[in-house]
């Protein structure tokens, strides 16, 4: 068996290798990291080291530069929000499958959305696509209150368990595309995933001047975008091409074709 320090050094190197490499070497690094975690019986201290490596190699190098966002991410154990067999991937820059066609956003995607939102301690935030609750848990350290909506029954139950005890997060169950009118208006709405279009009901739930951040599904690529509501409209401007999980229920109507 390897010593503790050697195990941690190798896990961090593999995590950074996954981030900086292309397939097939990237796939090999992922497989080796999963095997290493299995052999080493990864502990809380191991995950803390992997979290620090993620912040250093993935986030700080990609414009996640808000000290409050960094501190919040460092304080939330991301591995708690994925299944036991997927924990080796918790801090890798890939979406982590959650079942039912859904996945937890890669760390950089969520971190860039939170950074670009420029959240304040008094903001009232809606997160759409709560999944197992990770983004809500991080955001709760940055704002006054979080409402997080999830439509999948299994993910909602997992998120409810993961967020138990949180005094700043209210997890609600409903269609993602409908947002959550019950607690509107919101200062900020974050769609933690990529959508083909934003439903007008969501824009209506923003306060005037409120910020909307989301992933946009352009077919071949996904982009992160942000906008500010003015009247009944919110124009989104893309700010980064980032791999982002696609959320159900936001598909555009397809026109008739011969």
């Amino acid at each position: 068996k390897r010593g503790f320090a050697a195990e941690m050094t190798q896990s961090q190197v593999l995590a950074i290798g996954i981030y900086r490499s292309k397939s097939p070497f990237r796939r090999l690094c992922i497989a080796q990291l999963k095997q290493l975690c299995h052999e080493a019986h990864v502990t809380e201290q191991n995950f803390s080291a992997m979290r620090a490596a993620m912040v250093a190699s993935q986030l700080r190098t990609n414009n996640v530069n808000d000290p409050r966002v960094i501190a919040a991410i460092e304080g939330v154990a991301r591995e708690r929000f994925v299944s036991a067999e997927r924990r080796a991937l918790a801090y890798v820059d890939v979406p982590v499958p959650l079942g039912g066609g859904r996945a937890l956003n890669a760390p950089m995607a969520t971190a860039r959305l939170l950074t670009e939102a420029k959240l304040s301690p008094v903001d009232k935030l809606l997160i759409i696509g709560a999944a197992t609750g990770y983004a809500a848990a991080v955001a709760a350290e940055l704002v006054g209150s979080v409402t997080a909506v999830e439509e999948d029954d299994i993910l909602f139950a997992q998120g409810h368990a993961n967020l138990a005890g949180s005094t700043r997060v209210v997890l609600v169950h409903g269609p993602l595309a409908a947002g959550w009118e019950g607690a509107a208006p919101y200062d900020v709405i974050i769609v933690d995933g990529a959508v083909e279009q934003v439903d007008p009901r969501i824009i209506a739930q923003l306060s005037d001047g409120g910020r909307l951040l989301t992933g946009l599904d352009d077919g071949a690529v996904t982009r992160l975008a942000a906008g500010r509501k003015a009247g009944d409209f919110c124009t989104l401007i893309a700010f980064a091409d980032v791999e982002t999980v696609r959320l159900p229920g936001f598909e555009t109507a397809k026109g008739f074709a011969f």
Side-chain angles (χ1 to χ4, degrees):
K1 294 291 182 180
R2 306 171 184 85
F4 175 81
E7 287 166 358
M8 281 302 89
T9 300
Q10 187 174 356
S11 68
Q12 292 184 39
V13 168
L14 286 171
I16 294 171
I18 291 167
Y19 172 67
R20 293 181 175 174
S21 303
K22 302 294 184 182
S23 299
F25 181 68
R26 194 168 188 261
R27 290 195 296 269
L28 177 61
C29 285
I30 291 174
Q32 289 181 342
L33 180 59
K34 291 173 71 174
Q35 181 63 28
L36 176 62
C37 291
H38 174 73
E39 292 176 357
H41 305 291
V42 182
T43 66
E44 182 178 346
Q45 288 77 15
N46 299 136
F47 280 123
S48 294
M50 294 168 70
R51 193 178 314 130
M54 174 197 74
V55 169
S57 65
Q58 296 177 38
L59 305 190
R60 291 188 184 276
T61 57
N62 283 283
N63 294 318
V64 180
N65 47 25
D66 184 330
R68 295 180 65 240
V69 173
I70 292 290
I73 290 172
E74 289 175 333
V76 176
R78 183 174 163 90
E79 69 273 9
R80 294 198 303 107
F81 297 86
V82 299
S83 61
E85 63 271 20
R86 301 282 187 182
R87 286 180 180 169
L89 299 178
Y91 296 103
V92 179
D93 73 316
V94 294
V96 182
L98 299 174
R102 295 284 298 280
L104 190 68
N105 240 342
M108 188 173 66
T110 298
R112 287 295 305 270
L113 289 169
L114 291 171
T115 300
E116 195 69 21
K118 297 177 173 55
L119 299 170
S120 81
V122 297
D123 277 337
K124 185 178 178 182
L125 169 67
L126 173 65
I127 291 180
I128 296 174
T132 55
Y134 174 72
V138 175
E141 302 299 315
L142 302 168
V143 299
S145 65
V146 179
T147 300
V149 60
E150 178 50 57
E151 67 180 25
D152 183 274
D153 293 341
I154 295 176
L155 295 183
F156 176 80
Q158 293 173 351
H160 190 268
N162 291 335
L163 295 168
S166 176
T167 58
R168 293 183 184 172
V169 180
V170 176
L171 184 65
V172 295
H173 189 275
L176 300 184
W180 190 258
E181 188 177 5
Y186 303 97
D187 300 304
V188 184
I189 296 178
I190 294 177
V191 182
D192 194 26
V195 301
E196 292 184 11
Q197 62 179 354
V198 177
D199 193 291
R201 291 173 292 179
I202 292 173
I203 296 173
Q205 293 165 21
L206 269 175
S207 60
D208 193 40
R211 290 100 69 199
L212 173 64
L213 297 99
T214 183
L216 294 178
D217 181 0
D218 287 343
V221 298
T222 54
R223 297 182 170 91
L224 302 183
R228 190 176 291 270
K229 183 179 179 182
D232 295 330
F233 302 97
C234 183
T235 301
L236 293 169
I237 299 175
F239 61 87
D241 290 0
V242 174
E243 180 182 9
T244 311
V245 299
R246 290 169 169 83
L247 294 179
F250 293 89
E251 296 80 8
T252 57
K254 301 298 187 289
F256 177 77
F258 289 101

